[in-house]
Amino acid sequence: MTETARPEASTVPLEALPPLRDTLAAAGIAADKRFGQHFLLDLNICRKIARLAGVSVDDDVLEIGPGPGGLTRALLETGARVTVVEKDPRFIPLLDDLAAAVDGRLTVIEGDALKVDEAGLFAAGGAGRPVRIVANLPYNVGTPLLVKWLTGSFHPSSLTLMFQKEVALRIVAPAGDKEYGRLAVLCQALCQARIVMDLPARAFTPPPKVASAVVTLTPLEAPPSAPLLAAVQTVAQSAFGQRRKMLRSALKGLGGETLCRAAGIDPDARAETVPVSGFLALAQTWLDRRNGQAAPTLPTGV
Ligand code: SAM
């Protein structure tokens, strides 16, 4: 991760910056599939995302994968302070130009968002200030990044994220829905999750193969404790690992029918019909029953 001294950027006010398409053409940058690059070059769409995220002048924002900086411009227009993390070095000079236009309100970090220590990034600017995450995420790392933010020690005040539509549906799916699974349970155990905008593939340059959607995740006021959340993940992993089996069999290793009955959950039910509150009950009961034993390990690869 680098935030080193770089060649002097050109100073043009934000409102006088050239259209994004011209900026990309002048820099000779074409989208690189390896980085999941599908750009939003329509500033009106970018402004709508910033509005949906509720970003205002008082906010600190973390944006992952700014690319040519369309969404970044929209976020900066609100007056917020923005920190961006971009892996593709070709965009750094463009982003430095943007930083020069906004008088220190934009911090540009060249690095891999999967490895970045978000709490460390914001500690210097005032530890404890709420930070909103807003991003048009690279599709190849969208889910691992979301899991990192939900389960790590950095606690954003809101997340407004563009995903492939199929992933967005897996995040917001209610119990009983065919998309309902471990990702829905994790997200909804911690946040209120909603799809707030659908975007067709043609809104992006180059267009991806599938449609996209923006999801907002608003952390619950009383989220489960870290041990309970880890237990929820363990239970959900077992339950959805064998999603066609009844819970009495799928959860055999965790207590099977006895666990289900103690938690008030029908042992003949299948994972896809158990609401998030049911997973919390199963997890709490499992923790209570194994009182005194080692804490559960966090499963990976939701
Ligand atoms: N925000 C821009 C927009 O909306 O036009 C670009 C979005 S594009 C879907 C994803 C961006 O994430 C690209 O700029 C890509 O280079 C960057 N990226 C990909 N993997 C990354 C990673 N691991 N860490 C940081 N940035 C990454």
Coordinates of all heavy atoms in Angstrom, one line a residue, residues 161-218:
L161 N -23.0 -0.3 -2.0 CA -22.1 -1.1 -2.8 C -22.8 -1.6 -4.1 O -23.9 -2.1 -4.0 CB -21.5 -2.2 -2.0 CG -20.9 -1.9 -0.7 CD1 -20.6 -3.2 0.2 CD2 -19.6 -1.1 -0.9
M162 N -22.1 -1.4 -5.2 CA -22.6 -2.0 -6.4 C -22.0 -3.4 -6.6 O -20.8 -3.6 -6.5 CB -22.0 -1.1 -7.6 CG -22.4 -1.7 -9.0 SD -24.0 -1.0 -9.5 CE -23.5 0.7 -9.8
F163 N -22.9 -4.4 -6.8 CA -22.6 -5.8 -7.0 C -23.2 -6.2 -8.3 O -24.2 -5.6 -8.8 CB -23.1 -6.7 -5.9 CG -22.5 -6.5 -4.6 CD1 -23.1 -5.7 -3.6 CD2 -21.3 -7.1 -4.2 CE1 -22.6 -5.5 -2.4 CE2 -20.8 -6.9 -3.0 CZ -21.4 -6.1 -2.0
Q164 N -22.8 -7.4 -8.8 CA -23.6 -8.1 -9.8 C -24.9 -8.3 -9.2 O -25.0 -8.6 -8.0 CB -22.9 -9.5 -10.1 CG -21.7 -9.4 -10.9 CD -21.1 -10.8 -10.9 OE1 -20.3 -11.2 -10.0 NE2 -21.4 -11.6 -11.8
K165 N -26.0 -8.3 -10.0 CA -27.3 -8.4 -9.5 C -27.5 -9.7 -8.7 O -28.1 -9.7 -7.6 CB -28.3 -8.4 -10.7 CG -29.8 -8.5 -10.3 CD -30.3 -7.2 -9.7 CE -31.7 -7.3 -9.2 NZ -32.7 -7.1 -10.2
E166 N -26.9 -10.8 -9.2 CA -27.0 -12.1 -8.6 C -26.5 -12.1 -7.1 O -27.1 -12.7 -6.2 CB -26.3 -13.1 -9.4 CG -26.2 -14.5 -8.9 CD -24.7 -14.9 -8.7 OE1 -23.8 -14.5 -9.5 OE2 -24.4 -15.5 -7.6
V167 N -25.4 -11.3 -6.9 CA -24.8 -11.2 -5.6 C -25.7 -10.4 -4.7 O -26.0 -10.7 -3.5 CB -23.4 -10.7 -5.6 CG1 -22.8 -10.5 -4.2 CG2 -22.5 -11.6 -6.4
A168 N -26.2 -9.3 -5.3 CA -27.1 -8.4 -4.5 C -28.3 -9.1 -4.0 O -28.7 -9.0 -2.9 CB -27.5 -7.2 -5.4
L169 N -28.9 -10.0 -4.9 CA -30.0 -10.8 -4.5 C -29.7 -11.8 -3.3 O -30.5 -12.0 -2.4 CB -30.6 -11.6 -5.7 CG -31.3 -10.7 -6.7 CD1 -31.6 -11.6 -8.0 CD2 -32.5 -10.1 -6.2
R170 N -28.4 -12.3 -3.4 CA -28.0 -13.2 -2.3 C -27.8 -12.5 -1.0 O -27.9 -13.1 0.1 CB -26.7 -13.9 -2.7 CG -26.9 -15.0 -3.7 CD -25.6 -15.6 -4.2 NE -24.7 -15.9 -3.1 CZ -23.3 -15.7 -3.1 NH1 -22.8 -15.2 -4.2 NH2 -22.6 -16.1 -2.1
I171 N -27.6 -11.2 -1.0 CA -27.4 -10.4 0.2 C -28.7 -10.1 0.9 O -28.9 -10.2 2.1 CB -26.6 -9.1 -0.1 CG1 -25.2 -9.4 -0.5 CG2 -26.7 -8.1 1.1 CD1 -24.4 -8.2 -1.1
V172 N -29.7 -9.8 0.0 CA -31.0 -9.3 0.6 C -32.1 -10.3 0.7 O -33.1 -10.1 1.2 CB -31.6 -8.1 -0.2 CG1 -30.5 -6.9 -0.3 CG2 -32.0 -8.5 -1.6
A173 N -31.8 -11.6 0.2 CA -32.8 -12.6 0.1 C -33.4 -12.9 1.5 O -32.7 -13.1 2.5 CB -32.2 -13.9 -0.4
P174 N -34.8 -13.0 1.6 CA -35.4 -13.4 2.8 C -35.4 -14.9 2.9 O -35.2 -15.6 1.9 CB -36.8 -12.9 2.7 CG -37.1 -12.8 1.2 CD -35.7 -12.6 0.5
A175 N -35.6 -15.5 4.1 CA -35.8 -16.9 4.3 C -36.9 -17.4 3.3 O -37.9 -16.8 3.1 CB -36.1 -17.3 5.7
G176 N -36.6 -18.6 2.7 CA -37.6 -19.2 1.8 C -37.3 -18.9 0.4 O -37.8 -19.5 -0.5
D177 N -36.5 -17.8 0.1 CA -36.1 -17.5 -1.2 C -35.0 -18.4 -1.7 O -34.2 -18.8 -0.9 CB -35.5 -16.0 -1.1 CG -35.5 -15.3 -2.5 OD1 -34.7 -15.7 -3.3 OD2 -36.4 -14.4 -2.6
K178 N -35.0 -18.6 -3.0 CA -33.9 -19.6 -3.5 C -32.5 -19.0 -3.4 O -31.5 -19.8 -3.3 CB -34.2 -20.1 -4.9 CG -34.0 -19.1 -6.0 CD -34.3 -19.8 -7.4 CE -34.0 -19.1 -8.6 NZ -33.8 -17.6 -8.6
E179 N -32.4 -17.7 -3.3 CA -31.1 -17.1 -3.1 C -30.6 -17.0 -1.6 O -29.5 -16.6 -1.4 CB -31.1 -15.6 -3.6 CG -31.8 -15.4 -4.9 CD -31.0 -16.0 -6.1 OE1 -29.9 -16.3 -5.9 OE2 -31.6 -16.1 -7.2
Y180 N -31.5 -17.4 -0.7 CA -31.2 -17.3 0.7 C -30.1 -18.3 1.1 O -30.2 -19.5 0.8 CB -32.5 -17.5 1.5 CG -32.4 -17.4 3.0 CD1 -32.1 -16.1 3.6 CD2 -32.6 -18.5 3.8 CE1 -32.0 -16.0 5.0 CE2 -32.5 -18.3 5.2 CZ -32.3 -17.1 5.8 OH -32.2 -16.9 7.1
G181 N -29.0 -17.8 1.7 CA -28.0 -18.7 2.1 C -27.1 -18.0 3.2 O -27.5 -17.1 3.8
R182 N -25.8 -18.5 3.2 CA -24.9 -18.0 4.3 C -24.7 -16.5 4.2 O -24.5 -15.8 5.2 CB -23.6 -18.7 4.2 CG -23.6 -20.2 4.6 CD -22.4 -20.9 4.2 NE -21.2 -20.4 4.9 CZ -19.9 -20.6 4.5 NH1 -19.7 -21.4 3.5 NH2 -18.9 -20.1 5.2
L183 N -24.6 -16.0 2.9 CA -24.3 -14.6 2.8 C -25.4 -13.7 3.3 O -25.2 -12.7 4.0 CB -24.0 -14.2 1.3 CG -23.5 -12.8 1.0 CD1 -22.1 -12.6 1.8 CD2 -23.3 -12.6 -0.5
A184 N -26.7 -14.1 3.0 CA -27.9 -13.4 3.5 C -27.9 -13.4 5.0 O -28.1 -12.4 5.7 CB -29.1 -14.0 2.9
V185 N -27.6 -14.6 5.6 CA -27.7 -14.7 7.1 C -26.6 -13.8 7.7 O -26.9 -13.1 8.7 CB -27.5 -16.2 7.5 CG1 -27.3 -16.3 9.0 CG2 -28.6 -17.0 7.1
L186 N -25.4 -13.8 7.2 CA -24.3 -13.0 7.8 C -24.7 -11.5 7.6 O -24.6 -10.7 8.6 CB -23.0 -13.2 7.0 CG -21.9 -12.3 7.4 CD1 -21.4 -12.5 8.9 CD2 -20.7 -12.5 6.5
C187 N -25.1 -11.1 6.4 CA -25.4 -9.7 6.2 C -26.6 -9.2 7.1 O -26.5 -8.1 7.7 CB -25.7 -9.4 4.7 SG -24.3 -9.7 3.7
Q188 N -27.6 -10.0 7.1 CA -28.8 -9.6 7.8 C -28.8 -9.8 9.3 O -29.5 -9.2 10.0 CB -30.1 -10.3 7.2 CG -30.3 -9.9 5.7 CD -31.3 -10.8 5.0 OE1 -32.3 -11.2 5.6 NE2 -31.1 -11.1 3.8
A189 N -27.8 -10.6 9.8 CA -27.6 -10.7 11.2 C -27.0 -9.4 11.7 O -27.1 -9.0 12.9 CB -26.7 -11.8 11.6
L190 N -26.3 -8.6 10.8 CA -25.6 -7.4 11.2 C -26.2 -6.1 10.7 O -26.0 -5.1 11.3 CB -24.1 -7.5 10.7 CG -23.3 -8.6 11.3 CD1 -22.0 -8.8 10.5 CD2 -22.9 -8.1 12.7
C191 N -26.9 -6.2 9.6 CA -27.3 -5.0 8.9 C -28.8 -5.1 8.4 O -29.2 -6.2 8.2 CB -26.5 -4.7 7.7 SG -24.7 -4.5 8.0
Q192 N -29.3 -3.9 8.1 CA -30.5 -3.9 7.3 C -30.0 -3.8 5.9 O -29.2 -2.8 5.6 CB -31.3 -2.7 7.7 CG -32.8 -2.9 7.7 CD -33.5 -1.7 8.2 OE1 -33.1 -0.6 7.9 NE2 -34.6 -2.0 8.9
A193 N -30.4 -4.7 5.0 CA -29.8 -4.7 3.7 C -31.0 -4.5 2.7 O -32.0 -5.2 2.7 CB -29.1 -6.1 3.4
R194 N -30.7 -3.6 1.7 CA -31.8 -3.3 0.7 C -31.2 -3.1 -0.7 O -30.1 -2.4 -0.7 CB -32.5 -2.0 1.1 CG -33.5 -2.2 2.2 CD -34.5 -1.1 2.3 NE -33.9 0.3 2.2 CZ -34.4 1.3 1.5 NH1 -35.4 1.1 0.8 NH2 -33.8 2.5 1.5
I195 N -31.8 -3.5 -1.7 CA -31.4 -3.1 -3.0 C -32.1 -1.8 -3.3 O -33.3 -1.6 -3.2 CB -31.8 -4.1 -4.1 CG1 -31.0 -5.4 -3.9 CG2 -31.7 -3.6 -5.5 CD1 -31.3 -6.5 -4.9
V196 N -31.3 -0.8 -3.6 CA -31.8 0.6 -3.8 C -31.7 1.1 -5.2 O -32.3 2.1 -5.6 CB -31.1 1.6 -2.9 CG1 -31.5 1.3 -1.4 CG2 -29.6 1.6 -3.1
M197 N -31.1 0.3 -6.1 CA -30.9 0.8 -7.5 C -30.5 -0.4 -8.4 O -29.7 -1.2 -8.0 CB -29.8 1.9 -7.6 CG -29.6 2.5 -8.9 SD -28.3 3.7 -8.7 CE -28.2 4.4 -10.3
D198 N -31.2 -0.5 -9.5 CA -30.8 -1.6 -10.5 C -30.2 -0.9 -11.7 O -30.6 0.2 -12.1 CB -32.0 -2.3 -11.0 CG -32.5 -3.3 -9.9 OD1 -31.8 -4.2 -9.6 OD2 -33.7 -3.2 -9.5
L199 N -29.1 -1.5 -12.2 CA -28.5 -0.9 -13.4 C -28.3 -2.0 -14.4 O -27.7 -3.0 -14.1 CB -27.1 -0.3 -13.0 CG -27.1 1.1 -12.4 CD1 -25.7 1.5 -12.0 CD2 -27.6 2.1 -13.5
P200 N -28.7 -1.7 -15.7 CA -28.4 -2.6 -16.7 C -27.0 -2.6 -17.1 O -26.2 -1.6 -16.9 CB -29.3 -2.1 -17.9 CG -29.4 -0.6 -17.6 CD -29.3 -0.4 -16.1
A201 N -26.5 -3.7 -17.8 CA -25.1 -3.8 -18.2 C -24.7 -2.6 -19.0 O -23.5 -2.2 -18.9 CB -24.9 -5.1 -18.9
R202 N -25.6 -2.1 -19.8 CA -25.2 -1.0 -20.8 C -24.8 0.3 -20.0 O -24.3 1.2 -20.7 CB -26.3 -0.8 -21.8 CG -27.6 -0.2 -21.3 CD -28.5 0.2 -22.3 NE -29.7 0.8 -21.7 CZ -30.7 0.1 -21.2 NH1 -30.7 -1.2 -21.2 NH2 -31.7 0.7 -20.6
A203 N -25.1 0.4 -18.7 CA -24.7 1.6 -18.0 C -23.2 1.7 -17.8 O -22.7 2.7 -17.4 CB -25.4 1.6 -16.7
F204 N -22.5 0.6 -18.1 CA -21.1 0.5 -17.8 C -20.3 0.5 -19.1 O -20.7 0.0 -20.1 CB -20.7 -0.8 -17.0 CG -21.5 -0.8 -15.6 CD1 -22.8 -1.3 -15.6 CD2 -20.9 -0.4 -14.5 CE1 -23.4 -1.4 -14.4 CE2 -21.5 -0.5 -13.3 CZ -22.8 -1.0 -13.2
T205 N -19.0 1.0 -18.9 CA -18.1 0.9 -20.1 C -16.8 0.2 -19.6 O -16.2 0.6 -18.7 CB -17.7 2.3 -20.5 OG1 -18.9 3.1 -20.8 CG2 -16.8 2.3 -21.7
P206 N -16.5 -1.0 -20.2 CA -17.3 -1.8 -21.2 C -18.4 -2.4 -20.4 O -18.3 -2.7 -19.2 CB -16.3 -2.8 -21.7 CG -15.3 -3.0 -20.6 CD -15.2 -1.7 -19.9
P207 N -19.5 -2.8 -21.1 CA -20.6 -3.5 -20.4 C -20.2 -4.9 -19.9 O -19.6 -5.6 -20.6 CB -21.8 -3.5 -21.4 CG -21.2 -3.2 -22.7 CD -19.8 -2.6 -22.5
P208 N -20.6 -5.2 -18.6 CA -20.3 -6.6 -18.2 C -21.3 -7.5 -18.8 O -22.2 -7.1 -19.5 CB -20.5 -6.5 -16.7 CG -21.4 -5.3 -16.5 CD -21.2 -4.4 -17.6
K209 N -21.2 -8.8 -18.5 CA -22.2 -9.8 -19.1 C -23.5 -9.8 -18.4 O -24.5 -10.3 -18.9 CB -21.6 -11.2 -19.0 CG -20.4 -11.4 -19.9 CD -20.2 -12.9 -20.2 CE -19.1 -13.1 -21.2 NZ -17.8 -12.9 -20.7
V210 N -23.5 -9.2 -17.1 CA -24.8 -9.3 -16.3 C -25.2 -7.9 -15.8 O -24.4 -7.0 -15.8 CB -24.5 -10.2 -15.1 CG1 -24.3 -11.7 -15.6 CG2 -23.3 -9.8 -14.3
A211 N -26.4 -7.9 -15.3 CA -26.9 -6.6 -14.7 C -26.3 -6.4 -13.3 O -25.7 -7.4 -12.8 CB -28.4 -6.7 -14.6
S212 N -26.4 -5.2 -12.8 CA -25.9 -4.9 -11.5 C -26.9 -4.3 -10.6 O -28.0 -3.9 -11.1 CB -24.7 -3.9 -11.7 OG -23.7 -4.5 -12.4
A213 N -26.6 -4.2 -9.3 CA -27.5 -3.5 -8.4 C -26.7 -2.9 -7.3 O -25.7 -3.4 -6.9 CB -28.5 -4.5 -7.9
V214 N -27.3 -1.8 -6.8 CA -26.6 -1.1 -5.6 C -27.4 -1.6 -4.4 O -28.6 -1.6 -4.3 CB -26.7 0.4 -5.7 CG1 -26.2 1.1 -4.4 CG2 -26.0 0.9 -6.9
V215 N -26.6 -2.0 -3.4 CA -27.2 -2.5 -2.1 C -26.7 -1.5 -1.0 O -25.6 -1.1 -1.0 CB -26.6 -3.9 -1.7 CG1 -27.2 -4.4 -0.4 CG2 -27.0 -4.9 -2.8
T216 N -27.7 -1.1 -0.1 CA -27.2 -0.4 1.1 C -27.3 -1.3 2.3 O -28.3 -2.1 2.4 CB -28.1 0.9 1.3 OG1 -29.5 0.4 1.4 CG2 -28.0 1.9 0.3
L217 N -26.3 -1.3 3.1 CA -26.3 -2.1 4.3 C -26.1 -1.1 5.5 O -25.1 -0.4 5.5 CB -25.1 -3.1 4.3 CG -25.3 -4.2 3.2 CD1 -24.1 -4.1 2.2 CD2 -25.3 -5.5 3.8
T218 N -27.1 -1.1 6.3 CA -27.1 -0.2 7.5 C -26.9 -1.0 8.7 O -27.8 -1.8 9.0 CB -28.4 0.6 7.6 OG1 -28.6 1.2 6.3 CG2 -28.3 1.7 8.6

